[in-house]
Amino acid sequence: MSVFVVNRKKLAVGTVILMLIAVLAVNKEQVVSVVTGNSKPIYSVKTETKQVALTFDISWGEENVQPILDILKKENIKATFFLSSPWAETKPELVKRIAADGHEIGSHGRRHVDLNTLTADALMKELDTSKEVLERLSGQKINLLRAPNGAYDNQVISIANERGYKVIQWSVDSLDWKRPGADAIINYVMNGRSKNKGASPGDIILFHASDSAPDTPEALPTVLKMLKEKNYEIVTVGKMLSNAQESCPPGSSL
């Protein structure tokens, strides 16, 4: 009798293992959710090259965009710009210049709302509408998403992946939207703050080109100069992902 009980237990365990393997094989994108229940966006990458990715979010205003583009052009730097589609529709000439200067364009959503508060249907509409607008105006294929306010959950990650996006966060925050002054922005990026480190290989650096961050054009030339002095190659998110060994943290997926 005891042998029969043990065999039943082994059979039950084996069945569970086979079911997990089947689920993982059918849907590789959801491996993290099955195992840990928590999907993650990409915050940074592991790479053998000494690269950092420069990113700018834009959801309103136009005062900072031209100066930032001028600085990047002068320094021959390509960056990734995450644009909200309503802003892009009202500033098509700036979208065209961003694209013409060789920068990468990603989506910052349709409305500046927390995506993790939306229903699945509303989220799909939000992502699809933004993608259509940005692709039409930029001529680029849009496959990167930065969620407004960095707000996400498993549903956001899953639906974004289904719609052809990789969800991109950041590992170094300039805090330029707090208007701390150019010197503080430079220090946050290069040296970090509190327990956070400064820029290191594989980091994704967050700036804003909206009018909410007036100190950014003043700080940017020094940040670029200091990164170059440390022999960093400053690239787009897409280029850094293409050179990455894996994405960080565990739970994110290239």
Side-chain angles (χ1 to χ4, degrees):
M1 178 65 70
S2 61
V3 173
F4 176 72
V5 171
V6 170
N7 286 342
R8 289 184 63 186
K9 288 181 178 179
K10 288 182 178 179
L11 179 62
V13 171
T15 301
V16 171
I17 291 172
L18 288 173
M19 289 176 65
L20 279 174
I21 291 172
V23 170
L24 300 182
V26 170
N27 193 354
K28 294 180 181 178
E29 289 298 326
Q30 299 306 313
V31 168
V32 174
S33 293
V34 171
V35 176
T36 69
N38 191 14
S39 300
K40 296 289 186 181
I42 296 171
Y43 284 79
S44 62
V45 304
K46 291 184 180 180
T47 176
E48 291 182 348
T49 59
K50 198 171 183 181
Q51 293 180 333
V52 291
L54 199 63
T55 69
F56 296 88
D57 292 356
I58 310 179
S59 55
W60 66 281
E62 60 181 302
E63 295 298 319
N64 288 337
V65 183
Q66 293 279 14
I68 287 171
L69 289 173
D70 290 343
I71 292 165
L72 295 175
K73 187 170 186 177
K74 179 181 178 182
E75 298 296 330
N76 193 29
I77 298 296
K78 309 303 181 189
T80 300
F81 285 79
F82 290 96
L83 310 180
S84 66
S85 58
W87 179 89
E89 287 177 309
T90 61
K91 302 290 187 295
E93 72 287 350
L94 289 176
V95 178
K96 287 180 172 59
R97 181 179 171 190
I98 292 170
D101 282 2
H103 300 297
E104 180 178 53
I105 293 176
S107 173
H108 200 35
R110 178 67 182 171
R111 299 163 292 165
H112 204 277
V113 297
D114 290 354
L115 299 183
N116 60 350
T117 65
L118 302 180
T119 65
D121 287 344
L123 178 59
M124 285 187 280
K125 183 177 180 180
E126 182 88 7
L127 299 183
D128 290 349
T129 302
S130 175
K131 179 187 284 281
E132 186 279 323
V133 169
L134 294 175
E135 289 187 342
R136 171 167 48 82
L137 293 175
S138 70
Q140 295 186 14
K141 182 172 177 59
I142 305 300
N143 55 23
L144 301 178
L145 170 69
R146 173 164 285 159
N149 301 317
Y152 70 91
D153 58 12
N154 282 356
Q155 176 176 268
V156 171
I157 303 297
S158 176
I159 291 178
N161 288 343
E162 290 172 3
R163 314 317 271 187
Y165 288 104
K166 295 183 185 300
V167 183
I168 307 298
Q169 298 282 85
W170 58 90
S171 49
V172 174
D173 192 346
S174 69
L175 291 180
D176 54 354
W177 62 275
K178 288 190 173 183
R179 306 187 181 197
D183 289 344
I185 291 172
I186 295 164
N187 184 55
Y188 293 153
V189 174
M190 300 307 303
N191 301 315
R193 55 189 174 83
S194 185
K195 295 181 180 180
N196 297 327
K197 60 181 176 57
S200 60
D203 275 330
I204 298 172
I205 303 173
L206 171 64
F207 284 100
H208 295 79
S210 294
D211 289 358
S212 57
D215 301 323
T216 303
E218 183 182 353
L220 187 57
T222 301
V223 169
L224 298 180
K225 178 176 180 289
M226 294 177 74
L227 288 171
K228 287 181 176 181
E229 287 174 348
K230 291 177 176 289
N231 296 316
Y232 280 104
E233 182 185 9
I234 306 167
V235 299
T236 64
V237 170
K239 182 173 181 179
M240 195 165 72
L241 291 181
S242 70
N243 294 331
Q245 298 172 314
E246 59 183 289
S247 54
C248 303
S252 59
S253 175
L254 288 171

